[in-house]
Amino acid sequence: MSTLTIIANITAKDDSVALVKAELEKLIPPTRDEEGCLGYDLFQDNDNPAHFMFHESWATRELWQIHMENQHLKEFSAATEGAIESFILNEMTEIA
């Protein structure tokens, strides 16, 4: 069975970049401690600081789905309500 890769693209509203960045950074320690998390890395676009991307690796889709229901993600959603322009999640499978 192959691992699950998640690419999450988050674009903050222009007046909320610092808030969204700080809240995204808070997600890293608890997520990296979760069962099945093989990698959880946050990136910020050099040309568009409002654009963030998580590159995630999970042992199974089921463990990722458990992650998606965790309290720290609910807290992130509440803290950034109205501050995010777009949030696109892609579930990916490595082919080469």
Side-chain angles (χ1 to χ4, degrees):
M1 181 190 320
S2 62
T3 61
L4 176 68
T5 298
I6 300 294
I7 303 296
N9 284 285
I10 303 104
T11 304
K13 292 184 177 177
D14 288 337
D15 61 348
S16 300
V17 173
L19 167 72
V20 172
K21 181 178 181 179
E23 293 299 323
L24 288 169
E25 289 174 328
K26 288 181 188 177
L27 295 174
I28 296 169
T31 300
R32 286 181 176 166
D33 286 341
E34 289 180 47
E35 179 183 358
C37 181
L38 305 174
Y40 195 74
D41 300 309
L42 178 62
F43 299 85
Q44 186 174 24
D45 190 307
N46 292 336
D47 293 325
N48 178 7
H51 177 215
F52 301 91
M53 191 233 3
F54 268 117
H55 177 265
E56 309 175 28
S57 294
W58 292 90
T60 68
R61 186 172 192 273
E62 292 73 24
L63 291 170
W64 171 70
Q65 288 176 313
I66 291 168
H67 156 74
M68 292 301 291
E69 297 300 321
N70 277 334
Q71 185 62 34
H72 52 273
L73 286 179
K74 292 174 185 173
E75 291 168 1
F76 168 80
S77 293
T80 60
E81 187 173 347
I84 294 179
E85 188 72 36
S86 69
F87 192 109
I88 301 170
L89 249 170
N90 298 102
E91 294 182 44
M92 312 290 284
T93 301
E94 185 175 348
I95 57 172

